[in-house]
Amino acid sequence: MLEQTGKIFDPEVLTIVWARRFAEYKRADLLLRDLNRLEELLSNSERPVQIIWAGKPYPTDGYAIDVFNRLVNYTKYRPNLAVLTGYEIELSQKLKKGSDVWLNTPRITREASGTSGMSAAFNGSVNLSTDDGWIPEFAQDEKNCFVLPAIDFNLPTHQQDYIDSNNLYDILIEKILPTFYDKPNEWNKIVFKAIDDVVPEFTSERMAKQYYKELYLQEK
């Protein structure tokens, strides 16, 4: 991160990471929907936060490029915010190992899987996500992750964004920050519960065994 932004983050501060391909439905900028609440979050000296966004938009995706540029401009001169270009294996590994919260904000029904959240959980990063993709198969809210309340996906997208943004801030301010800073033992229980729950169901070993049993053995 130092090479790209010149910033060095504090390993003792709660670190939130949003890292994946930039696309409209993934809503990388959901935290910027209410700048007053974001400023409240960023200025809390008793429970500080650091936020990293990482990834790339497709060169022909104008909306995603606008979101990326907006994040870059907003974070450029803020010491506890950073945007990193790219999401290759080495950077992905560092982000998952170095983050405390893995943020996933797709609109409901749009996310096919979300494998980054699986590997983040393997590395001890707690998922904070909308209830989409792989999350419904895994989530035990406030036990192995934090999940935004379900909303009506038939609502206009701007209403969905407004509701999800408010819920996101509520969870961060009322649940995640107090648990991380004031109840570290409870936080560690969530971390290890996530690791325990993700390993049996979401590894390639499980996948290979399932293929073998359901395809190879049945064909024989």
Side-chain angles (χ1 to χ4, degrees), residues 21-218:
R21 174 174 62 89
F22 276 75
E24 190 270 341
Y25 78 90
K26 292 179 182 287
R27 301 186 298 181
D29 59 343
L30 191 63
L31 276 171
L32 271 64
R33 298 302 168 96
D34 188 335
L35 292 179
N36 289 329
R37 295 197 77 180
L38 180 58
E39 291 296 339
E40 176 188 352
L41 186 71
L42 297 175
S43 62
N44 188 336
S45 58
E46 294 183 1
R47 295 170 178 164
V49 299
Q50 301 167 151
I51 307 174
I52 299 171
W53 289 266
K56 293 178 182 178
Y58 285 143
T60 57
D61 188 341
Y63 184 93
I65 292 170
D66 288 344
V67 169
F68 183 87
N69 289 339
R70 183 184 179 208
L71 285 167
V72 169
N73 291 330
Y74 186 81
T75 63
K76 190 171 184 179
Y77 300 108
R78 296 172 186 271
N80 53 346
L81 301 179
V83 175
L84 305 180
T85 302
Y87 184 50
E88 290 72 24
I89 291 175
E90 183 179 359
L91 176 58
S92 171
Q93 184 182 59
K94 289 179 179 178
L95 291 171
K96 287 163 184 171
K97 289 182 176 180
S99 61
D100 299 297
V101 172
W102 196 257
L103 182 59
N104 184 43
T105 51
R107 290 197 184 94
I108 296 291
T109 76
R110 303 290 182 88
E111 186 62 79
S113 180
T115 53
S116 67
M118 301 174 195
S119 51
F122 287 135
N123 286 279
S125 187
V126 175
N127 277 269
L128 168 57
S129 179
T130 53
D131 197 22
D132 202 13
W134 76 292
I135 289 292
E137 301 173 54
F138 164 78
Q140 298 177 49
D141 189 28
E142 299 185 48
K143 293 183 179 178
N144 64 6
C145 65
F146 293 86
V147 183
L148 273 65
I151 64 172
D152 183 358
F153 60 82
N154 293 308
L155 289 171
T157 55
H158 71 276
Q159 290 187 26
Q160 293 182 47
D161 295 348
Y162 175 78
I163 296 169
D164 280 337
S165 174
N166 282 331
N167 286 332
L168 176 58
Y169 281 113
D170 288 344
I171 291 172
L172 283 168
I173 294 169
E174 298 172 11
K175 296 180 179 180
I176 288 179
L177 287 173
T179 306
F180 181 84
Y181 282 109
D182 304 337
K183 302 174 183 178
N185 290 336
E186 293 298 317
W187 183 263
N188 287 334
K189 286 181 183 178
I190 296 171
V191 170
F192 287 112
K193 174 68 172 165
I195 295 172
D196 288 342
D197 290 344
V198 77
V199 169
E201 298 297 330
F202 298 97
T203 61
S204 14
E205 178 185 12
R206 192 277 308 157
M207 178 186 67
K209 286 180 178 178
Q210 184 176 352
Y211 273 120
Y212 177 72
K213 291 178 181 177
E214 295 184 12
L215 294 179
Y216 180 74
L217 289 182
Q218 285 184 11

